Amino acid sequence: MTEFDQLFKALNITEENLKKEILNVGVVQTVSKASFIVEQEKYIKWLAIVISGKVRVWQENENRQILLYYVTPIQTCVLSLSATFRDCKSVINAKTEEETTVIKIPVQYINDWGYKYKSWNKFTTDAFINSYEDLLHSYKNLAFNKIDKRLLDYMQSICKKNNTTYINISHSKLAQEIGTTREVVSKILKQFELSGIVNLKFKQIELL
């Protein structure tokens, strides 16, 4: 099954004309880990739909990163999608967390397909709805939770997802994930260790 076949099946695309258009203008690209898909303050020329891999989306201001959400297979970055409708610069950065394969669609087709094809309209609408929930969660986390709680919640979610008590991550990377500085994360982790919540090792944290 090709990348295009995976996309057609996952999005339930049955319109033959849409399939032909995607095959004609879509570009399959496999990019290495830590590659930019979108860069803040640059115009977006392509909408990337992730076929395999994972993309981290964040905003950056004064060297501080605020994680917004992740893009996983058969998803796209909704803030990139919104920018394609207005021909404006990107307000976010998007970078691969691992080797990632995407299908790139030129932006001039995005809006038109929404009017012409029901399945494409559903895909873009669902993308907005799902990402709205992710963005709302990120906003609530930043607005109402203290940094120590955000850090503990993040580590617990990683452990639960991977079914382990160990997290292989640097303090700098943790700081990026919760929107603070490495120094703050290191200080909180030391407090957690003294309280018997974690055991700290080099680039590894054990949740007790």
Side-chain angles (χ1 to χ4, degrees), residues 4-16:
F4 289 108
D5 291 331
Q6 293 178 53
L7 181 67
F8 298 156
K9 182 178 180 180
L11 299 187
N12 195 27
I13 293 176
T14 57
E15 301 98 327
E16 291 301 322

Side-chain angles (χ1 to χ4, degrees), residues 138-190:
S138 295
Y139 168 75
K140 286 182 177 179
N141 202 23
L142 286 169
F144 301 116
N145 291 334
K146 293 182 178 180
I147 294 177
D148 56 349
K149 186 179 188 309
R150 298 204 320 255
L151 178 58
L152 184 58
D153 286 349
Y154 176 79
M155 293 191 298
Q156 288 174 336
S157 69
I158 293 297
C159 287
K160 182 178 180 180
K161 179 180 178 181
N162 297 325
N163 193 28
T164 181
T165 58
Y166 292 92
I167 306 170
N168 297 311
I169 193 170
S170 68
H171 293 190
S172 296
K173 179 65 174 176
L174 269 177
Q176 291 178 0
E177 293 298 291
I178 65 170
T180 187
T181 64
R182 180 187 60 79
E183 291 78 11
V184 169
V185 165
S186 296
K187 182 178 179 180
I188 294 173
L189 286 175
K190 191 62 180 177

Side-chain angles (χ1 to χ4, degrees), residues 25-47:
V25 304
V27 176
V28 177
Q29 183 177 12
T30 298
V31 292
S32 58
K33 179 180 178 180
S35 298
F36 275 102
I37 302 296
V38 178
E39 292 186 65
Q40 198 166 326
E41 293 300 319
K42 291 188 176 181
Y43 284 100
I44 296 174
K45 298 180 180 180
W46 304 81
L47 181 70

Side-chain angles (χ1 to χ4, degrees), residues 6-79:
Q6 293 178 53
L7 181 67
F8 298 156
K9 182 178 180 180
L11 299 187
N12 195 27
I13 293 176
T14 57
E15 301 98 327
E16 291 301 322
N17 286 340
L18 176 56
K19 289 181 180 180
K20 290 177 182 178
E21 290 202 57
I22 292 175
L23 288 169
N24 284 336
V25 304
V27 176
V28 177
Q29 183 177 12
T30 298
V31 292
S32 58
K33 179 180 178 180
S35 298
F36 275 102
I37 302 296
V38 178
E39 292 186 65
Q40 198 166 326
E41 293 300 319
K42 291 188 176 181
Y43 284 100
I44 296 174
K45 298 180 180 180
W46 304 81
L47 181 70
I49 302 172
V50 175
I51 302 301
S52 65
K54 186 178 182 181
V55 177
R56 180 177 184 267
V57 180
W58 79 95
Q59 280 190 319
E60 190 163 346
N61 185 26
E62 296 180 353
N63 296 321
R64 180 183 174 188
Q65 294 187 8
I66 299 176
L67 174 66
L68 299 176
Y69 49 81
Y70 287 96
V71 182
T72 52
I74 315 301
Q75 293 182 342
T76 191
C77 172
V78 71
L79 291 174

Side-chain angles (χ1 to χ4, degrees), residues 108-144:
Q108 61 264 35
Y109 296 94
I110 305 304
N111 195 29
D112 186 42
W113 287 355
Y115 290 107
K116 291 169 61 177
Y117 303 115
K118 183 178 179 180
S119 58
W120 186 262
N121 181 273
K122 184 178 186 304
F123 166 62
T124 55
T125 301
D126 287 348
F128 279 114
I129 292 172
N130 294 333
S131 293
Y132 171 78
E133 294 173 352
D134 290 338
L135 287 169
L136 185 60
H137 174 75
S138 295
Y139 168 75
K140 286 182 177 179
N141 202 23
L142 286 169
F144 301 116

